[in-house]
Structures are given as C-alpha cells and as structure tokens.
Amino acid sequence: MKRYWKLLLSSLAFAVCAGHASAGAAETFPSKPIRIIVPWTAGGFTDILARRLAEHMSGTLGQPVIVENKVGASGSIGATYVSKAAPDCYTILMETPDTMVINPMIMKDLAYDPVKSFDQISLLVVQPMVLSSSGKSNFKSLPDLIERARSSKNPMTYGSWGNASAAHLAFAQFADLTDVQMTHIPYKGVSEAFTDVIAGRVDVIFVGMMSSKEYVANGQLRPLAIADDQRSRALPDLPTFKELGIDMPNLSLWYAFGAPAGTPPAAMKRLQEAASAALKDPAINSWLTGYGMSVVSADPDTASQFIKDEIPRWSRALKAAKVANISGD
C-alpha cells in the first residue's frame, strides 16, 4: 500500500501547479453532456463505480454525465471507440489494467496504443484482488483448495471475465507458484462469472475486493486469500497469500479516466477536479474505503507513470499464463 501514499503526495504537488492552466477554456467546458464509456458489462464494479461518480460529477459540472457500456474483446472494443473519438473530453474511458496494460501486450492487431492514443485524466481508485470460491464449496481454506486441485481426478475450474483478463492472469500466476492445474472458464463479464461460481458450477475466481464483499457477507462466496502486503480492514480475518507461504505478487485492479490523445488540458483539469470532488464526497468515499479500496485521485502525470509501472507487474503474470497473441476483434 506504500505506493498509493506516494501517488497521493504526487497529486498534491500537481494541484498546486494546476492553477496556472488556461482558465478561459476551462470556463467554457462542458457545454454539453459527457459520456463515460465503460468497456465491461453492466452490474460489475467498473460499471457501478462509473455510475456513482457520474451522478456526482453531473452536479459539479452542470451537465449530464452519462455512462455507456461498450462491451467485448476484454475491454478493447470500448477502449478503441474512445481512442477514435473527438479529443474534446466529451467522450472518456473508464480504464482498467485489461484495457491499458494487458491487452496491448497480447492483442496483435489492437487498434489503439495505451500511451499514444490516450491522455490520462486521473487515476481514481485501486482495489486488491481476492481469490474466492462458492460459499457451498467443500474446501474451507486456500490449503484445502490446493490439496483438492492436486489430487482431484477431474480437473477443477476457475472463472474470469475473459481470456487474458486480469482475473485469468492472476490465477495463472497463482497456479504457477503453487503447481496446480485447473481449467480456465472465461466469461464476457464478472457478473456472469459470479453466477456460476456462486452456484458451484465453477470452483474459484479472482475478483476485486469491492465486487466480492457483499457476496461474502451473505455467504454466497467464501474468500480464501487476498493478494496484498497486509490484511484488509474490510475483511480482517482473511489472510494474505504471503501469510500462507505463497509469494503472490500484489496484482491489484485499478480504475482511471482517460481521454483521446490531444484533448485540451483545461478540459481534462475540469474533469479531474470533478472526479476528485466525487471521490471526496463522504458517501462515496466511505462506500469505497468500507470495501477495502484505496482512493487515490491522482493527477494526469502520476496516473501515466502508475500505468507504466504496472507493465512489468502484469508481464510476469502473462508469462505464467502462457498466453499467445490473440485477436483484438
């Protein structure tokens, strides 16, 4: 969690300097509705977060902020759509590790470049990943799962929200570290994957803390371990992988706002300020932190550097998954 404090300090420094941005352009933006493109299905955390922020930002900006879901190809359809939009900040992307780090490493015909095609507005929040099973499963702990996976005559399964998605790669890293073999079942979105894990048709899934906590609270999911340096205040009884003797890297899910390259800085500053105000709202802030999220609200430069730093982290997981180049169609 130390790197998130560094991000916060960098953001404060940016805020001091940002006052010198062009005031005239900022005062005229926005003059029409703004669209946030979510490249994942409705009902998952990415979608829910975008809608909570959009509602608050609408009040701050004085214009409707609308969320649209453009789904497919591990988030690349939505990301491609935004990359080709007019660079005026009226169409922005809710970015995730899949769209900005993983897809560019594996999709041979990807229609956008994560650095050249986008300008960063703000890194919003970060959440650790949790390995969970159905609340009805027979294994009660991570050691139980590992023992069952090694001894089972029938291959066990793990779900994800797509081939080479963050969930897929996180489990591949775990499997490589623990010498277990399980069959990957990819879905179009996390909501669909949850349905089958909860029902026991799929054995386990790696998900973000926010996505799983309510299902954990009502007994539908059983968390087995968290991929972080320390236990979460939201689930204090849940051990880390490292506590259980597994050197699992901290593969976090994060969410950021990005705009098409060439967007006026003043317009991006207005959106960053609106997003920051939303994240500071007591109701939204307590909702996020109560689920074990780190609220970052980082400036564009810090967000850009954060994404660059994520590349080697996910590259190691990608190697473990042995994923070949796939089509971005």
Side-chain angles (χ1 to χ4, degrees):
M1 304 299 286
K2 293 180 181 178
R3 63 180 179 141
Y4 306 139
W5 286 108
K6 293 179 180 178
L7 291 171
L8 288 171
L9 291 174
S10 297
S11 297
L12 289 173
F14 173 83
V16 173
C17 300
H20 298 288
S22 172
E27 289 172 1
T28 61
F29 177 88
S31 60
K32 62 181 181 180
I34 295 165
R35 295 185 301 160
I36 300 174
I37 303 302
V38 173
W40 306 104
T41 54
F45 174 68
T46 312
D47 176 72
I48 295 170
L49 174 63
R51 294 181 190 278
R52 293 273 321 242
L53 295 180
E55 182 179 9
H56 193 283
M57 291 169 67
S58 294
T60 300
L61 296 168
Q63 289 285 349
V65 179
I66 302 164
V67 174
E68 293 184 16
N69 301 85
K70 292 191 179 294
V71 181
S74 296
S76 66
I77 289 178
T80 298
Y81 178 84
V82 175
S83 73
K84 296 180 178 180
D88 53 14
C89 240
Y90 286 103
T91 302
I92 65 174
L93 177 68
M94 176 64 91
E95 302 170 332
T96 66
D98 302 87
T99 58
M100 304 308 291
V101 178
I102 299 172
N103 288 350
M105 290 193 289
I106 62 170
M107 292 186 173
K108 58 185 178 182
D109 53 355
L110 195 64
Y112 65 88
D113 182 286
V115 176
K116 297 178 181 178
S117 301
F118 293 94
D119 290 334
Q120 295 305 310
I121 298 171
S122 178
L123 175 66
L124 305 167
V125 293
V126 181
Q127 65 169 327
M129 297 187 78
V130 176
L131 181 61
S132 299
S133 66
S134 169
K136 301 182 293 185
S137 67
N138 292 326
F139 36 88
K140 310 297 183 183
S141 66
L142 188 63
D144 284 349
L145 169 66
I146 294 172
E147 181 180 357
R148 179 70 60 84
R150 289 173 176 170
S151 62
S152 178
K153 294 181 180 179
N154 298 317
M156 294 177 64
T157 56
Y158 67 98
S160 79
W161 50 88
N163 283 314
S165 64
H168 177 196
L169 301 190
F171 194 91
Q173 182 87 82
F174 163 74
D176 186 60
L177 291 169
T178 56
D179 193 28
V180 300
Q181 293 185 358
M182 296 174 68
T183 300
H184 177 218
I185 309 295
Y187 293 82
K188 197 171 184 179
V190 68
S191 299
E192 295 92 332
F194 268 164
T195 298
D196 279 0
V197 173
I198 289 169
R201 292 186 287 269
V202 172
D203 291 303
V204 291
I205 188 171
F206 257 106
V207 291
M209 175 72 75
M210 172 66 81
S211 299
S212 62
K213 190 169 183 291
E214 288 187 7
Y215 295 103
V216 170
N218 63 26
Q220 291 181 292
L221 282 180
R222 177 180 298 128
L224 302 175
I226 184 171
D228 206 350
D229 288 328
Q230 57 192 20
R231 296 191 180 199
S232 170
R233 287 178 294 177
L235 293 173
D237 295 329
L238 180 63
T240 68
F241 282 93
K242 291 181 176 65
E243 285 182 74
L244 298 173
I246 300 169
D247 192 22
M248 184 74 183
N250 298 342
L251 297 176
S252 300
L253 299 179
W254 45 264
Y255 309 87
F257 280 150
T263 297
M268 291 200 300
K269 180 174 180 290
R270 281 280 284 154
L271 285 190
Q272 192 226 341
E273 291 171 343
S276 179
L279 291 170
K280 290 177 182 176
D281 178 82
I284 294 176
N285 191 277
S286 62
W287 169 64
L288 290 168
T289 57
Y291 281 91
M293 307 283 288
S294 296
V295 178
V296 181
S297 189
D299 64 81
D301 289 342
T302 305
S304 297
Q305 187 59 51
F306 178 89
I307 292 173
K308 291 177 182 177
D309 291 343
E310 285 286 280
I311 294 173
R313 189 183 304 270
W314 286 103
S315 178
R316 289 189 290 271
L318 187 64
K319 291 177 181 177
K322 298 181 174 66
V323 177
N325 284 348
I326 61 177
S327 173
D329 295 335

